[in-house]
Amino acid sequence: MHEAVLYEKTGDNSVKCGLCSHRCLIKENKSGICGVRTNKGGTLYTESYGRVSAEAVDPVEKKPLYHFLPGTQVYSLGGIGCNFRCKHCQNWEISQCTTADFLHGLSPQKGVLKALDYRCRSIAWTYNEPTLWHEYAMNMGKLAQSEGLGTIYVTNGYMTEEAVSELSGMLSAFRVDIKAFTDDFYRKICGAKLQPVLDATVKAKECGMHVETVTLLIPGLNDSDDEIKSLVSWIYENLGENTPVHFTAFHPDYNMTSLSPTPLKTLEKAYLFAKDAGIRYPYIGNVASHPYCNTWCHNCGALLIERHGFMQDEVNLDKDMCKVCGAKIPVVRSL
């Protein structure tokens, strides 16, 4: 076990965790909602430090990140545990797990060496909620940056602003799920609240992180016209017009297998709502090749990047400039 950061002792050997927005009060020999941060004798420990459930080399587009080091490979790591209880989770085998015999140890130093050996441009903490790996990610991330590697969180965003501030300077990209735009959805489907996600996302933007949002549209639960319009208006006003916004298709899984997959027309509608709101770079995902998966110049409309699944072809993009009109495109090419 590794001693945690961002907690305070409250007496009677209890502690209050300040890492995620549940801010759990944890009694001795108990764990927080995440299941992997445990109070032992009045000291909070992170039991998942350096314990890896999954690792892979992925295209960065798979995260999905479309404007961060496009066309490069990312070394992806996952652990166990989550501070959400999403009924539709597609990685529930590890996210809802707190102890497992399939874990293997990986030091921060070894993780960075592997990323370099695989010729990746970045490291992503993903698959389960990376917030729970805060101490591990911080240690690995600092080493990664010293080697010129980018660092990525694929996160539900349910972390305190104090935690985001600690990540500032270490974390390059904040790829956040905004799972819906109502508190009712977050409470019933995720066991959480919406506002902390919005606050953390704004904080990440203020800290200089590259931000892209993803919303999985679930039929009948978060795909109404009004909700999507409210979401994209909030993104435009708080994150800016150049924020890449992804709308992805739901597929039945875990404890939500009775619903139908997301119709393509719903994704297309969300894309157009985003464009109408002033978002320059909306995308749709979890679908076969579609024009709305591509990147188009906001100034002249030229096709810049054509995507087929996770593969891409840069058609009219020269570094961060449109070859047709010369407009500067908000894409991170170097760190």
Side-chain angles (χ1 to χ4, degrees):
M1 294 191 296
H2 189 95
E3 186 175 357
V5 298
L6 294 175
Y7 78 96
E8 60 184 45
K9 299 185 179 186
T10 60
D12 297 326
N13 275 354
S14 295
V15 300
K16 186 173 184 180
C17 182
L19 179 62
C20 98
S21 291
H22 287 299
R23 296 188 182 273
C24 294
L25 181 64
I26 307 171
K27 295 183 178 180
E28 188 173 8
N29 297 322
K30 298 294 184 181
S31 300
I33 288 173
C34 65
V36 295
R37 301 176 78 81
T38 303
N39 178 356
K40 298 291 186 183
T43 299
L44 187 63
Y45 291 94
T46 168
E47 296 185 321
S48 61
Y49 186 99
R51 302 176 69 201
V52 174
S53 66
E55 56 181 320
V57 174
D58 296 318
V60 73
E61 286 78 14
K62 189 176 181 180
K63 298 299 113 187
L65 280 166
Y66 282 3
H67 288 233
F68 183 79
L69 303 178
T72 66
Q73 300 291 297
V74 52
Y75 178 51
S76 301
L77 291 171
I80 55 173
C82 190
N83 51 0
F84 276 18
R85 296 293 181 266
C86 297
K87 295 180 180 180
H88 55 294
C89 181
Q90 295 185 345
N91 287 325
W92 60 270
E93 296 95 338
I94 60 173
S95 71
Q96 302 309 311
C97 174
T98 55
T99 59
D101 57 11
F102 56 79
L103 297 171
H104 64 275
L106 183 72
S107 70
Q109 295 82 358
K110 184 64 174 177
V112 172
L113 288 175
K114 281 194 168 187
L116 294 171
D117 286 345
Y118 293 140
R119 300 184 181 278
C120 294
R121 290 284 306 281
S122 58
I123 295 176
W125 298 280
T126 179
Y127 304 136
N128 73 309
E129 178 49 46
T131 299
L132 314 183
W133 250 356
H134 183 84
E135 298 81 3
Y136 180 57
M138 287 290 296
N139 290 339
M140 188 183 293
K142 291 174 182 177
L143 293 173
Q145 288 197 325
S146 71
E147 296 291 344
L149 296 171
T151 50
I152 299 167
Y153 262 22
V154 177
T155 178
N156 62 31
Y158 208 65
M159 62 189 77
T160 63
E161 293 187 50
E162 304 97 278
V164 179
S165 293
E166 282 212 346
L167 294 172
S168 178
M170 183 285 285
L171 193 63
S172 310
F174 190 87
R175 211 294 282 137
V176 61
D177 290 306
I178 301 181
K179 294 179 181 289
F181 209 65
T182 66
D183 224 35
D184 188 62
F185 179 100
Y186 267 88
R187 180 173 54 83
K188 292 180 179 178
I189 306 300
C190 307
K193 298 177 182 178
L194 169 62
Q195 192 60 48
V197 177
L198 304 182
D199 293 342
T201 302
V202 170
K203 185 68 174 180
K205 181 74 173 181
E206 291 173 348
C207 288
M209 300 173 198
H210 174 79
V211 175
E212 299 194 24
T213 72
V214 175
T215 303
L216 185 78
L217 294 178
I218 305 176
L221 293 182
N222 66 348
D223 63 342
S224 72
D225 292 2
D226 288 345
E227 184 170 346
I228 296 171
K229 288 178 179 178
S230 295
L231 169 62
V232 295
S233 293
W234 181 89
I235 293 172
Y236 178 83
E237 293 169 4
N238 293 273
L239 303 179
E241 62 189 3
N242 288 327
T243 305
V245 177
H246 303 258
F247 296 103
T248 55
F250 163 82
H251 300 286
D253 208 337
Y254 193 34
N255 291 323
M256 200 176 283
T257 57
S258 60
L259 297 181
S260 300
T262 310
L264 178 59
K265 64 181 181 180
T266 300
L267 300 175
E268 293 171 334
K269 174 183 66 176
Y271 177 98
L272 294 174
F273 284 161
K275 293 288 282 187
D276 289 344
I279 301 295
R280 290 175 167 179
Y281 299 99
Y283 297 99
I284 65 173
N286 290 348
V287 296
S289 297
H290 188 286
Y292 293 173
C293 299
N294 301 331
T295 299
W296 305 85
C297 178
H298 67 271
N299 186 53
C300 71
L303 176 62
L304 302 178
I305 302 176
E306 186 173 15
R307 296 184 179 86
H308 304 280
F310 302 128
M311 304 299 292
Q312 66 157 45
D313 180 28
E314 295 189 6
V315 180
N316 286 304
L317 187 64
D318 181 14
K319 296 181 180 179
D320 63 350
M321 303 287 286
C322 173
K323 291 181 181 178
V324 177
C325 70
K328 185 175 176 62
I329 308 303
V331 58
V332 177
R333 286 294 195 179
S334 60
L335 302 166

